[in-house]
Amino acid sequence: MRRVALLSILLLATTAGPLWAAEEPASSALPLEYHLILTHPNLHLVTVEITARTVSGDSLEFVMPAWSPGRYAIYDFAKNVQEFEATGAQGQPLAWTNLDKQTWRVDLRQAGGIVKVRYRVFANDLNGSFSQFDATHANLNGASIFMYVAGHKPDPLNLTLDAPKGWQLISGFSDSTSERIFHAPDYDRLVDTPLEACPEIRLTQFQEQGKTIRVAVHSYYDEDTDTTKLLEGLQKIVRAEMALMPAPDFERYTFIFHFAPDISMGDGMEHLNSTQIIMRGNLRSSLDEALETAAHEFFHVWNVKRLRPAELGPFDYTREVYTPSLWLAEGVTTYVSYLSLLRAGLWTREQFLGRLSEEIRVFEEEPGRAQMSAEDSSFHAWFYDRSPQMQETNFANSTVSYYNKGALLGMLLDLEIQSRTQGTKSLLDVLSLLYHKFYEAPQATYYGPGRGYDEPAILAAVNEVSGSDFTAFFDSYVRGTAPLPYGNPLASAGLALRVSVREGAPPSIGITAQPEDRGVRVFAVRQGGAADRAGLGRDDIVIAVDDQPLATVDLNKRLRAYLPGSSVPFTVERHGRQEIIYLTLDPPTPNLYSIQELSGATPQQTAIRNRWLTGRN
Ligand SMILES: [Zn+2]
Ligand SMILES: [Zn+2]
């Protein structure tokens, strides 16, 4: 998945032992038929029937996932399940009970060897996790729609679709848009294959290294008739990324794009042989972001969908699955996607270095960077990965993003490995080694191929590739919270980080705030800053500065009138009462970050830089 903005959000670290996916009880495979019926677009209701034959025993349990791989948040998809019923071989009703919020236990004693359950799911969200069925399309993410049969996730199954007449269907399974019957080797693959049914989908394809890359576009904008630029960009990205890693083991990959005006935010979600990319805005206005998202999601073909943490496949869908490795799975994917956009020629060198500088700025402005490590941020993703917040949190002060820090660790590791190997090895060699070692290993579970890695395997692979010991690096920066060391890795490529104060920057008071009608509401207070020292708190509303109301003048503009060190009266409203609080202003925060070429770089520094930026010696 891809983070939508360079904003981090996040939480308080506690430590707990990892929970491993529960083992499925062994039982013989059941013939399973899934039937998806799309008949009530106006009600946003899809009907699902699951038929299991040769059933025996007293009962069988049908389970709705609590989450969907790729989005580390408990969504409880069972919330939208209704009208559950179960019948036996002769269509006779079977008794059932709910064991918990997401498990239906069906009584098999009168079933006659066959059980069919039927339920409806309300689906009206267009994004990478939920599903949407309306008059324009059905966009379906399997975990939000399909129950699994407890103990039978490994069983092969067939899926039949009843879609409105004239609708075309596209998914990682489909050979043609008229197909309606699909085979899935197991439940995990079923829910790892999103499905779009739509009367106006635009489908094209190209070839790269003998693989077929299909591009499906559903746009709600009438002007989006020309997908040429999107296709050209995708072709460059696919070519660039395939050059970085071993050839993937698919024959066909499917991009499913949506361009929609009425969604709150865009999304991208990785799958084994496909991806969902959903943009807010038309193709022209969101082309760059769509391609950037595509570069990220396509690299997940290798990193996280095939090379994966041991916890992420097979999955325990009933509860949180913890891994310390999302900094590699997501953050390093972000870093490599930037590199591939550069190598693909879609970004200039300045854009690439500019984006890395921006990642550094975001990280350096995170108060939580001294509290939360990359591994802790990964582990606690469940608290903040687009999960609904039921109470106020201090994430703005206590957390870092594993996307952001992971991307920086990717950059630093890449440069450091190149530096220690005189430019002969890079982070991509580490990812390739891990891919060979784990993904191309003998199949360890039904969820093959290969097996998942554990966190120590990352350090071991870095050490093996570099012929050097990176233990101290991992202790300090991956599982530790030491300040990130930009200087030496950048210098090894003849580059340097420059940090300065933007001209005209106002004195700092150390808050983040949101404008409101009457002033600005304090959202977070930085510990030790001017606002903290004066006793300003979250949810205080700053009504005026020096009697000048903030209803009409921007706070920063107002602060520019004062010198650092000035004591300035703020009119603050708290629980409906106003008071005056004096703040002693701090110097402006350095907020201009750039990575620049060192003058007088040695030939070796220049060689590493050129190899890094071009992929060629
Ligand atoms: Zn991602
Ligand atoms: Zn659609």
Side-chain angles (χ1 to χ4, degrees):
M1 145 188 90
R2 186 169 164 259
R3 166 194 46 166
V4 177
L6 282 174
L7 275 177
S8 67
I9 17 180
L10 325 184
L11 82 124
L12 219 94
T14 56
T15 48
L19 293 171
W20 300 93
E23 289 298 316
E24 289 287 307
S27 51
S28 56
L30 292 178
L32 292 171
E33 301 285 340
Y34 281 66
H35 190 188
L36 182 68
I37 305 158
L38 302 171
T39 52
H40 285 80
N42 59 313
L43 299 180
H44 310 295
L45 287 171
V46 305
T47 302
V48 179
E49 292 176 353
I50 307 170
T51 305
R53 296 174 200 281
T54 68
V55 296
S56 57
D58 287 349
S59 64
L60 198 61
E61 285 154 20
F62 293 82
V63 188
M64 200 71 187
W67 67 288
S68 182
R71 177 128 306 135
Y72 308 98
I74 295 297
Y75 281 159
D76 288 328
F77 298 118
K79 279 178 189 172
N80 275 340
V81 171
Q82 62 186 66
E83 298 164 70
F84 183 91
E85 58 184 46
T87 50
Q90 268 70 51
Q92 74 278 24
L94 299 178
W96 57 269
T97 51
N98 263 127
L99 288 193
D100 56 32
K101 63 186 177 181
Q102 59 203 4
T103 310
W104 284 255
R105 174 179 283 172
V106 178
D107 190 331
L108 293 186
R109 285 172 296 182
Q110 309 296 325
I114 297 177
V115 59
K116 175 160 121 182
V117 304
R118 180 187 170 97
Y119 58 91
R120 297 169 101 188
V121 180
F122 178 80
N124 195 30
D125 289 283
L126 178 59
N127 59 40
S129 304
F130 298 103
S131 294
Q132 185 169 61
F133 176 40
D134 62 22
T136 66
H137 72 165
N139 183 266
L140 306 171
N141 292 300
S144 70
I145 299 286
F146 298 120
M147 295 185 184
Y148 62 88
V149 182
H152 293 275
K153 280 186 295 188
D155 299 359
L157 58 91
N158 288 319
L159 167 67
T160 307
L161 242 105
D162 283 350
K165 219 172 162 202
W167 284 27
Q168 299 166 280
L169 203 142
I170 182 88
S171 82
F173 290 134
S174 58
D175 289 322
S176 87
T177 56
S178 57
E179 259 183 286
R180 294 292 182 269
I181 301 174
F182 309 101
H183 176 76
D186 51 49
Y187 175 83
D188 303 86
R189 191 69 70 80
L190 172 71
V191 301
D192 197 14
T193 308
L195 202 149
E196 163 78 5
C198 172
E200 50 174 338
I201 196 97
R202 198 181 297 268
L203 183 63
T204 43
Q205 65 181 51
F206 59 86
Q207 301 285 320
E208 187 62 40
Q209 288 190 24
K211 314 286 186 188
T212 300
I213 311 293
R214 298 191 300 184
V215 183
V217 176
H218 181 196
S219 174
Y220 287 100
Y221 297 90
D222 293 338
E223 66 270 26
D224 281 351
T225 52
D226 187 0
T227 55
T228 313
K229 284 205 167 97
L230 179 68
L231 284 166
E232 284 172 1
L234 289 174
Q235 201 150 8
K236 289 177 182 171
I237 288 165
V238 167
R239 185 172 301 155
E241 294 193 356
M242 281 194 170
L244 300 179
M245 291 292 287
D249 58 353
F250 59 66
E251 294 308 311
R252 192 174 55 200
Y253 182 90
T254 306
F255 286 94
I256 303 175
F257 281 95
H258 277 84
F259 296 91
D262 47 3
I263 50 170
S264 57
M265 61 169 105
D267 201 2
M269 184 56 72
E270 69 276 9
H271 296 281
L272 198 63
N273 297 330
S274 60
T275 180
Q276 291 252 41
I277 295 176
I278 295 151
M279 291 287 119
R280 188 166 181 263
N282 66 13
L283 178 50
R284 182 194 294 261
S285 67
S286 53
L287 177 66
D288 290 349
E289 196 187 347
L291 289 174
E292 202 181 297
T293 306
H296 178 103
E297 303 307 335
F298 192 68
F299 196 70
H300 276 315
V301 158
W302 295 272
N303 194 16
V304 95
K305 290 315 301 182
R306 286 176 173 75
L307 170 62
R308 59 190 185 268
E311 300 86 354
L312 297 181
F315 304 95
D316 182 346
Y317 296 98
T318 66
R319 60 174 180 175
E320 296 86 345
V321 172
Y322 297 96
T323 171
S325 310
L326 294 180
W327 68 269
L328 182 81
E330 289 294 350
V332 167
T333 292
T334 298
Y335 166 69
V336 176
S337 73
Y338 296 165
L339 201 59
S340 68
L341 286 161
L342 172 72
R343 302 248 178 111
L346 292 170
W347 277 7
T348 62
R349 197 175 272 221
E350 289 67 34
Q351 279 175 294
F352 173 70
L353 295 177
R355 180 57 69 88
L356 292 177
S357 307
E358 178 63 5
E359 294 281 1
I360 294 173
R361 184 192 65 75
V362 168
F363 183 71
E364 292 303 316
E365 290 183 356
E366 273 317 351
R369 72 189 185 287
Q371 297 179 36
M372 174 176 272
S373 70
E375 289 184 359
D376 283 339
S377 176
S378 306
F379 188 88
H380 290 288
W382 299 90
F383 280 158
Y384 49 77
D385 187 358
R386 281 206 187 184
S387 58
Q389 301 301 332
M390 304 307 288
Q391 74 273 57
E392 295 215 352
T393 66
N394 198 30
F395 291 168
N397 282 320
S398 60
T399 65
V400 294
S401 157
Y402 53 83
Y403 286 91
N404 174 229
K405 187 167 186 183
L408 294 176
L409 289 172
M411 174 187 79
L412 294 174
L413 279 170
D414 200 11
L415 289 170
E416 189 64 28
I417 292 166
Q418 294 185 56
S419 169
R420 293 196 200 179
T421 61
Q422 287 75 48
T424 59
K425 299 289 179 189
S426 76
L427 181 62
L428 291 157
D429 295 303
V430 174
L431 292 173
S432 293
L433 176 66
L434 285 166
Y435 188 85
H436 291 310
K437 266 193 172 169
F438 290 92
Y439 184 65
E440 293 175 353
Q443 185 164 342
T445 67
Y446 78 88
Y447 186 90
R451 62 192 173 98
Y453 63 83
D454 57 7
E455 179 78 2
I458 304 169
L459 169 60
V462 171
N463 287 348
E464 187 176 334
V465 162
S466 66
S468 168
D469 187 1
F470 274 75
T471 304
F473 183 101
F474 275 66
D475 283 346
S476 298
Y477 312 122
V478 178
R479 68 184 66 99
T481 57
L484 290 183
Y486 308 108
N488 285 339
L490 285 171
S492 69
L495 297 164
L497 177 68
R498 304 270 182 245
V499 185
S500 59
V501 175
R502 196 180 299 272
E503 203 176 319
S508 166
I509 59 170
I511 62 167
T512 53
Q514 291 157 332
E516 289 196 350
D517 286 348
R518 291 176 302 135
V520 298
R521 180 182 290 273
V522 177
F523 175 70
V525 177
R526 180 161 304 199
Q527 217 167 318
D532 178 29
R533 297 194 304 273
L536 229 62
R538 181 176 173 135
D539 286 332
D540 286 347
I541 303 172
V542 183
I543 303 288
V545 173
D546 222 352
D547 281 338
Q548 302 289 314
L550 292 183
T552 48
V553 182
D554 176 69
L555 173 61
N556 281 334
K557 206 168 172 185
R558 193 77 202 93
L559 290 174
R560 278 192 203 106
Y562 304 96
L563 289 172
S566 309
S567 179
V568 179
F570 280 51
T571 309
V572 175
E573 187 178 295
R574 213 172 255 177
H575 301 298
R577 297 179 191 144
Q578 288 193 1
E579 60 183 292
I580 304 288
I581 295 178
Y582 279 82
L583 268 70
T584 304
L585 308 184
D586 287 330
T589 311
N591 56 0
L592 261 187
Y593 286 71
S594 63
I595 296 173
Q596 293 174 6
E597 295 191 5
L598 285 173
S599 56
T602 64
Q604 192 189 356
Q605 287 172 319
T606 308
I608 287 181
R609 180 168 67 222
N610 287 340
R611 188 178 190 276
W612 184 40
L613 298 177
T614 64
R616 295 184 297 273
N617 286 315

